[in-house]
């Protein structure tokens, strides 16, 4: 079945540091890939997405490129801020029969210190 | 537009009891999915409803059930509660039908089973 593997962390960085969170996936067919973010005490929010190979999703300074050859979708940000502290989830959607089901990685907790 | 709302936000139940959680999707959204979030297992898909029909189901025992009403509101029920059912239950809505995987999450219901 479909699965997602991401570095679990926790990751602790200083403000303005470079961020990479690795994500790889196993899937049949051509899934869409996502990064969701969960701030303390809240539900998940869609951060960015990519629907086909070589697509780059970007939002709020975060980027991730859909790499079919390496089955990866690594999240990057050039300069993190304290407000980026949250848990980040990589996810895929297999789009089977129109289903919206998401398969998530375990999540990576990011803490950014001033 | 109002976001996804979930009630109640917090719930404490005793082992053996049953519980019903409610979710109101974003206006116009016809697909509602439920996820269980625990520290050990992460985010796991429970089920998905679209136009009052269950479209997909995860690997959970029959004690977990759900339904969707004609106004797209959804409820999930857990009978004969076990200690391991303690979790954050997240509801997510989407327009539905396209299988995009792009979902909007509510803040969750924190269920504690004692």
């Amino acid at each position: 079945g479909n699965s997602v593997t991401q570095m679990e962390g926790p990751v602790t960085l200083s403000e303005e540091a470079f961020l990479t969170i690795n994500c790889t996936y196993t899937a049949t067919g051509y899934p869409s890939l996502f990064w969701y973010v969960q701030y303390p005490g809240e539900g998940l929010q869609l951060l960015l997405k990519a629907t086909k190979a070589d697509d780059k999703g970007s939002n709020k300074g975060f980027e991730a490129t859909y790499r079919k050859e390496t089955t990866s979708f690594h999240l990057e940000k050039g300069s993190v801020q304290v407000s980026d502290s949250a848990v980040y989830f990589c996810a895929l959607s297999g789009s089977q029969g129109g289903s919206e089901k998401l398969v998530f990685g375990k999540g990576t907790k990011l803490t950014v210190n001033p | 537009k109002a976001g996804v709302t979930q009630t109640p936000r917090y719930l404490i139940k005793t082992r053996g009891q049953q519980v019903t959680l409610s979710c109101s999707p974003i206006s116009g959204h016809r697909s509602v999915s439920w996820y269980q979030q625990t520290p050990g297992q992460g985010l796991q898909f429970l089920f998905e409803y679209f136009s009052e029909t269950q479209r997909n189901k995860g690997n959970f025992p029959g004690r977990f059930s759900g339904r969707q009403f004609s106004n797209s509101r959804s409820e999930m029920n857990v009978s004969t509660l076990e200690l391991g059912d303690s979790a954050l239950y997240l509801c997510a809505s989407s327009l539905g039908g396209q299988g995009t995987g792009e979902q909007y999450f509510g803040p969750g219901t924190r269920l504690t089973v004692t």
Side-chain angles (χ1 to χ4, degrees), chain A residues 5 17 34 77 112:
Chain A
T5 303
F34 306 84
K77 186 174 186 183
V112 181

Side-chain angles (χ1 to χ4, degrees), chain A residues 34 36 38 49 95 99-100 102, chain B residues 37 48 99-103:
Chain A
F34 306 84
Y36 280 82
Q38 186 175 33
K49 69 174 185 179
S95 296
S99 172
E100 305 290 353
L102 289 166
Chain B
Q37 185 176 21
E48 175 192 1
T100 64
E102 189 170 331
Q103 299 188 330

Side-chain angles (χ1 to χ4, degrees), chain B residues 5 12 26 30 34-36 38 42 46 64-65 71 79 86 94 97 103 106 110:
Chain B
T5 58
I12 299 175
I26 291 172
R30 295 165 61 196
W34 289 88
Y35 296 84
Q36 181 195 64
T38 59
L46 279 156
F64 291 81
S65 62
N71 61 358
S79 62
S86 294
S94 62
Q103 299 188 330
R110 173 76 62 187

Side-chain angles (χ1 to χ4, degrees), chain A residues 6 36-45 86-89 104-109, chain B residues 6 21 34-46 60 64 76 84-91 105-112:
Chain A
Q6 65 177 102
Y36 280 82
V37 58
Q38 186 175 33
Y39 298 100
E42 299 183 13
L44 278 69
Q45 300 176 23
V87 181
Y88 292 81
F89 293 91
F104 288 92
K106 293 283 191 181
T108 301
K109 183 176 182 180
Chain B
Q6 292 187 245
L21 311 182
W34 289 88
Y35 296 84
Q36 181 195 64
Q37 185 176 21
T38 59
Q41 298 299 316
L43 280 155
Q44 293 187 287
F45 172 78
L46 279 156
F60 279 83
F64 291 81
M76 67 163 281
D85 297 333
S86 294
L88 181 67
Y89 289 88
L90 292 166
C91 167
F105 283 79
T109 294
R110 173 76 62 187
L111 172 64
T112 302

Side-chain angles (χ1 to χ4, degrees), chain B residues 20-38:
Chain B
T20 299
L21 311 182
S22 181
C23 171
S24 293
I26 291 172
S27 177
H29 284 192
R30 295 165 61 196
S31 173
V32 173
S33 297
W34 289 88
Y35 296 84
Q36 181 195 64
Q37 185 176 21
T38 59

Side-chain angles (χ1 to χ4, degrees), chain A residues 19-72:
Chain A
L19 168 72
T20 298
I21 301 178
N22 291 336
C23 171
T24 57
Y25 68 90
T26 301
T28 54
Y30 303 95
S32 295
L33 301 174
F34 306 84
W35 279 99
Y36 280 82
V37 58
Q38 186 175 33
Y39 298 100
E42 299 183 13
L44 278 69
Q45 300 176 23
L46 177 62
L47 181 60
L48 54 84
K49 69 174 185 179
T51 58
K52 61 183 187 296
D54 299 325
D55 266 2
K56 177 186 282 189
S58 62
N59 186 25
K60 299 181 182 179
F62 291 90
E63 293 183 341
T65 300
Y66 189 142
R67 301 284 188 203
K68 195 170 190 309
E69 64 276 14
T70 54
T71 61
S72 64

Side-chain angles (χ1 to χ4, degrees), chain B residues 38-100:
Chain B
T38 59
Q41 298 299 316
L43 280 155
Q44 293 187 287
F45 172 78
L46 279 156
F47 25 64
E48 175 192 1
Y49 288 88
F50 177 72
S51 293
E52 302 180 66
T53 301
Q54 187 179 85
R55 182 154 65 177
N56 208 340
K57 189 178 190 305
N59 292 327
F60 279 83
R63 300 185 297 107
F64 291 81
S65 62
R67 59 178 176 168
Q68 187 180 33
F69 302 96
S70 58
N71 61 358
S72 293
R73 192 176 68 84
S74 178
E75 290 181 347
M76 67 163 281
N77 185 78
V78 188
S79 62
T80 319
L81 283 166
E82 300 177 0
L83 295 178
D85 297 333
S86 294
L88 181 67
Y89 289 88
L90 292 166
C91 167
S93 77
S94 62
L95 285 169
Q98 292 83 34
T100 64

